[in-house]
Amino acid sequence: MVTMSDVARVANVSATTVSHVINKTRKVNPATEKAVRDAIDATGYAADTIARSLRTGRSHTIGLAMTAISNTYFGDVVHSLEREATSRGYTLILTDTHDEPQRELRAIRHLLSHRVDGLVLAPSAGPAQAYAQVLRRKIPLVLIDRVPSEVLPRVDAVGVHNVEPIASLVDHLVVAHGHTRIGMLAPKTGIFTTQERIAGFHLGLERNGLDPGDAPLEHAGEDADQTSAALERILDRPSPPTALVLGNNLITVSTIAGLRRRGITPPHGIATVSFDDFPWADSFQPRLTTISQPVDELGAVAARLLLERMEDPGQASRYVRLTPTFQLRESCGCPPAA
Amino acid sequence: MVTMSDVARVANVSATTVSHVINKTRKVNPATEKAVRDAIDATGYAADTIARSLRTGRSHTIGLAMTAISNTYFGDVVHSLEREATSRGYTLILTDTHDEPQRELRAIRHLLSHRVDGLVLAPSAGPAQAYAQVLRRKIPLVLIDRVPSEVLPRVDAVGVHNVEPIASLVDHLVVAHGHTRIGMLAPKTGIFTTQERIAGFHLGLERNGLDPGDAPLEHAGEDADQTSAALERILDRPSPPTALVLGNNLITVSTIAGLRRRGITPPHGIATVSFDDFPWADSFQPRLTTISQPVDELGAVAARLLLERMEDPGQASRYVRLTPTFQLRESCGCPPAA
DNA sequence: TTGTATGCGTTATCAG
DNA sequence: CTGATAACGCATACAA
């Protein structure tokens, strides 16, 4: 490995000068500077981030801890976060929480031991006091997607609105298509966004004169099998719903597949509306009516909040709520567009 | 921050002993050990990976450099790589090459300056001598997906078979459905897998008595607009194809959308077969006939190859070719399954 | 305008 | 069985 002293020797200067040239941290004679730069090129020297971090206490890395289960969502967030981080000279370190408090804790410890300068966390279900540890160490932290209200004033966060969008999905089913038996396949219980989405479902029913207590609701879990089972349960009820609200993209995919196996293709036989859009939603049949999260922006805003917090630790904490957009297509029963 | 000396002081031992307890690197009196462990718990000490890396020369991180454009593929590979790495005590660092030699070079430098113990690279187009630098430093390297044959004997790699699977797609179009005008929308030019997939297309045509020189072929580029344009070009030819081979999942999505805008839904009007499967392919209409890459396995094998190389740098290099599977569905013209 | 000396937190060598 | 000490590669306070 070629170190700074090697460069210094080649350039006939001290390591100090090399360091200053690299970091532009004090004035140095143009001739000397050139000598140093030439030596750097000649030796192929690249600064050792590790040593630098040990010395400065800043690692120029940021950590991301979230579940990787929901692939398209995960990929999008990672992508936009990486883009933003890299453009500001930071490196992204990745860990998967598997949405389990236990793993989440380990992931965070992991990140901290790597001395990340800041971290982005999508809290799993559970008491989620994992971040207490982070806050204690005063490491800048941004919560993404799931934002428990308890911690809100003390930490930066970014998420989307869940309640009103889901409620408006219900509005549409009732007002435009006359449904009165509306069911929901909700994501894993205990997660913040799940609670909000269910609340939105109930709100939508109530304000349209329907009884939330009476509405079929099943938790679809996390994989295709659990979702299929939930779908079976909801369809086999005495008076099955004529429309379904699907709580996230995984649930949507499995549900469409499950309906298909029963010979049902929305909106025929049953109408569906979904939370979470994806590139495919507009290309296939049925074209899916969805609530589309601004996923890229979610990652970008998270990065921005984090970096700004890192620059100015004293500032008041911020909570950014992004507004998803309503993608009215055909699975809800609307006619094909012209 | 609580350091090893803090723990040592609390436990009334030397830092050396603390280190040995943590690393189980020499025998220590059970009583002493207990004292140390208690002190660790009491102080909440966590080893500083940075300092450790500086000392040992090993960072316990592995780097991934690939393009994040193709989201589902990217997410899947990242996911399985992260899983494998974490389970072996390694941390994953991420960089996006944007499929540009320039960015790729920067990404690799970045990773190297972070002293990754090994790295996984999906080479972009271009001369791709980026990894020369890596090899010079003798950092374990695994190529994933794109595997230029020039470097093959000198480096570990994992990829899928491209030629024969695409050829068999063509076989199917000809033999089962009688197509003779078959076109291809190929991915970005200059990339290894693109070359192989085109070769497979030509092989398939030839062995079915069709003239490759005569077959419509367009490069679809990387975004929806470029793909749409390529689709227009291919459909507006004097004698347009009756069947289309789509070179990757991005192209498939954009193509289906583009056809849709023209009022065409495969297999009616035109048949399609695609390289790359995705969870949605089986759930919507048309159900897509595809070649499905074992994406999870790709990531897992890459990690395994890398970790094994790191353990035994002397061993002969290996090239693992995974076999994708043929998912016969309906977009090619086959009747719906029972 | 430049150089010397020191320490970041850890592990490895050597000595006890 | 345990401890003192040096060194990893860099950035910075201080000195010149």
Side-chain angles (χ1 to χ4, degrees):
Chain A
M1 183 178 193
V2 34
T3 83
M4 242 176 57
S5 341
D6 297 326
V7 176
R9 200 173 314 114
V10 172
N12 265 316
V13 297
S14 72
T16 302
T17 299
V18 176
S19 171
H20 283 301
V21 166
I22 290 171
N23 300 314
K24 304 185 206 307
T25 179
R26 83 176 176 196
K27 229 182 152 9
V28 22
N29 188 308
T32 317
E33 168 154 3
K34 178 166 182 350
V36 170
R37 297 218 176 276
D38 287 349
I40 289 177
D41 288 346
T43 54
Y45 169 78
D48 184 336
T49 311
I50 299 268
R52 178 178 286 167
S53 297
L54 182 59
R55 177 62 234 240
T56 62
R58 322 204 333 104
S59 67
H60 269 266
T61 58
I62 69 183
L64 171 64
M66 74 181 288
T67 174
I69 289 178
S70 177
N71 264 303
T72 166
Y73 183 80
F74 168 75
D76 286 338
V77 170
V78 169
H79 188 179
S80 59
L81 219 49
E82 193 278 343
R83 186 212 320 270
E84 207 71 23
T86 301
S87 78
R88 304 264 223 127
Y90 282 82
T91 299
L92 189 63
I93 296 185
L94 220 65
T95 52
D96 188 351
T97 62
H98 293 79
D99 250 346
E100 297 164 16
Q102 201 66 8
R103 309 278 302 239
E104 177 178 329
L105 204 61
R106 261 177 41 199
I108 288 178
R109 268 203 248 279
H110 203 83
L111 258 17
L112 289 180
S113 90
H114 273 276
R115 285 232 196 147
V116 291
D117 290 337
L119 72 86
V120 177
L121 168 69
S124 64
Q129 56 182 172
Y131 40 69
Q133 180 175 177
V134 180
L135 291 180
R136 202 154 16 81
R137 289 225 215 173
K138 300 211 194 295
I139 309 276
L141 168 70
V142 170
L143 261 29
I144 190 170
D145 193 33
R146 294 89 171 271
V147 186
S149 46
E150 314 89 85
V151 298
L152 212 45
R154 296 183 296 128
V155 65
D156 294 302
V158 56
V160 300
H161 289 288
N162 289 289
V163 178
E164 181 54 35
I166 291 264
S168 71
L169 241 26
V170 175
D171 288 344
H172 181 76
L173 289 172
V174 176
V175 175
H177 302 290
H179 290 280
T180 57
R181 291 288 300 162
I182 302 174
M184 177 173 191
L185 256 31
K188 191 172 169 182
T189 188
I191 293 178
F192 176 74
T193 45
T194 300
Q195 294 164 15
E196 282 208 338
R197 287 175 199 173
I198 291 175
F201 175 58
H202 287 160
L203 172 64
L205 293 172
E206 260 167 23
R207 74 187 183 192
N208 285 285
L210 299 172
D211 179 10
D214 192 36
L217 173 78
E218 295 280 349
H219 285 278
E222 295 207 305
D223 58 41
D225 288 345
Q226 291 177 42
T227 302
S228 295
L231 177 63
E232 298 297 318
R233 287 198 301 275
I234 214 167
L235 292 181
D236 293 342
R237 293 194 177 208
S239 60
T242 59
L244 241 28
V245 175
L246 308 175
N248 67 26
N249 53 8
L250 253 31
I251 292 172
T252 299
V253 171
S254 302
T255 299
I256 298 287
L259 289 172
R260 217 194 139 70
R261 281 194 298 274
R262 286 194 167 213
I264 302 172
T265 302
H268 310 292
I270 200 163
T272 71
V273 293
S274 312
F275 201 90
D276 277 345
D277 197 37
F278 27 108
W280 294 259
D282 195 32
S283 300
F284 297 90
Q285 289 176 330
R287 294 174 62 232
L288 298 175
T289 291
T290 66
I291 293 292
S292 173
Q293 295 197 56
V295 208
D296 280 354
E297 206 186 339
L298 212 52
V301 169
R304 226 129 51 201
L305 287 178
L306 187 61
L307 292 165
E308 286 170 17
R309 163 73 48 200
M310 283 158 50
E311 278 171 13
D312 178 9
Q315 68 183 279
S317 74
R318 289 175 293 174
Y319 180 21
V320 178
R321 278 262 193 173
L322 268 22
T323 303
T325 54
F326 195 176
Q327 302 289 350
L328 192 61
R329 292 191 278 245
E330 297 161 11
S331 66
C332 59
C334 286
Chain B
M1 182 177 194
V2 35
T3 84
M4 243 177 55
S5 341
D6 297 325
V7 176
R9 200 173 314 114
V10 172
N12 264 315
V13 297
S14 72
T16 302
T17 298
V18 176
S19 172
H20 282 301
V21 166
I22 290 171
N23 300 314
K24 303 185 208 306
T25 178
R26 83 177 175 196
K27 226 179 154 12
V28 22
N29 187 308
T32 318
E33 166 155 5
K34 178 164 182 350
V36 170
R37 297 217 176 278
D38 288 350
I40 289 177
D41 289 346
T43 54
Y45 168 78
D48 184 336
T49 312
I50 298 270
R52 176 178 290 166
S53 297
L54 182 59
R55 180 60 237 236
T56 61
R58 320 202 336 102
S59 66
H60 270 265
T61 58
I62 69 183
L64 171 65
M66 73 181 289
T67 174
I69 288 179
S70 176
N71 264 303
T72 166
Y73 184 81
F74 168 74
D76 286 337
V77 170
V78 168
H79 188 178
S80 60
L81 219 49
E82 193 278 342
R83 186 212 320 272
E84 207 71 22
T86 301
S87 78
R88 304 263 222 128
Y90 282 83
T91 299
L92 188 64
I93 296 185
L94 219 66
T95 52
D96 189 350
T97 62
H98 294 78
D99 249 347
E100 297 164 16
Q102 200 67 6
R103 309 279 301 240
E104 177 178 329
L105 203 62
R106 261 176 41 198
I108 288 178
R109 268 202 247 279
H110 202 85
L111 259 15
L112 289 181
S113 90
H114 273 276
R115 285 233 195 146
V116 292
D117 291 337
L119 71 86
V120 176
L121 168 68
S124 64
Q129 56 182 174
Y131 41 69
Q133 180 175 175
V134 180
L135 292 179
R136 200 154 18 81
R137 289 224 214 172
K138 299 209 193 298
I139 308 277
L141 167 70
V142 170
L143 261 30
I144 191 170
D145 193 31
R146 294 88 170 271
V147 186
S149 45
E150 314 89 84
V151 298
L152 212 44
R154 297 183 296 128
V155 66
D156 295 301
V158 56
V160 300
H161 289 288
N162 289 289
V163 178
E164 182 52 36
I166 292 265
S168 71
L169 241 26
V170 175
D171 288 343
H172 181 75
L173 289 172
V174 176
V175 176
H177 302 292
H179 291 280
T180 56
R181 292 288 300 161
I182 303 174
M184 178 172 190
L185 256 31
K188 191 173 170 182
T189 189
I191 292 178
F192 176 74
T193 46
T194 299
Q195 294 163 15
E196 283 208 338
R197 287 175 200 173
I198 291 176
F201 175 57
H202 287 161
L203 172 65
L205 293 172
E206 262 167 22
R207 73 187 184 196
N208 286 284
L210 300 172
D211 179 9
D214 191 38
L217 173 78
E218 295 280 350
H219 285 279
E222 294 207 304
D223 57 40
D225 288 345
Q226 292 177 41
T227 302
S228 295
L231 177 64
E232 299 296 318
R233 287 197 301 277
I234 213 167
L235 291 182
D236 293 341
R237 293 194 177 209
S239 60
T242 60
L244 242 28
V245 176
L246 308 175
N248 68 26
N249 53 9
L250 253 32
I251 292 172
T252 299
V253 172
S254 301
T255 299
I256 298 286
L259 289 173
R260 215 194 139 70
R261 281 193 297 275
R262 284 192 168 216
I264 301 172
T265 303
H268 310 294
I270 199 163
T272 71
V273 294
S274 312
F275 201 89
D276 278 346
D277 198 38
F278 26 105
W280 294 258
D282 195 32
S283 300
F284 297 90
Q285 289 175 334
R287 293 175 63 232
L288 298 175
T289 291
T290 67
I291 293 292
S292 172
Q293 296 196 57
V295 207
D296 280 354
E297 207 186 339
L298 213 52
V301 169
R304 227 129 51 201
L305 287 178
L306 187 61
L307 293 165
E308 287 170 16
R309 163 74 46 198
M310 284 159 49
E311 278 171 14
D312 178 7
Q315 68 182 282
S317 74
R318 289 175 294 175
Y319 181 20
V320 178
R321 277 263 194 174
L322 268 21
T323 302
T325 54
F326 196 177
Q327 302 288 349
L328 193 60
R329 292 190 279 245
E330 298 162 12
S331 66
C332 59
C334 285

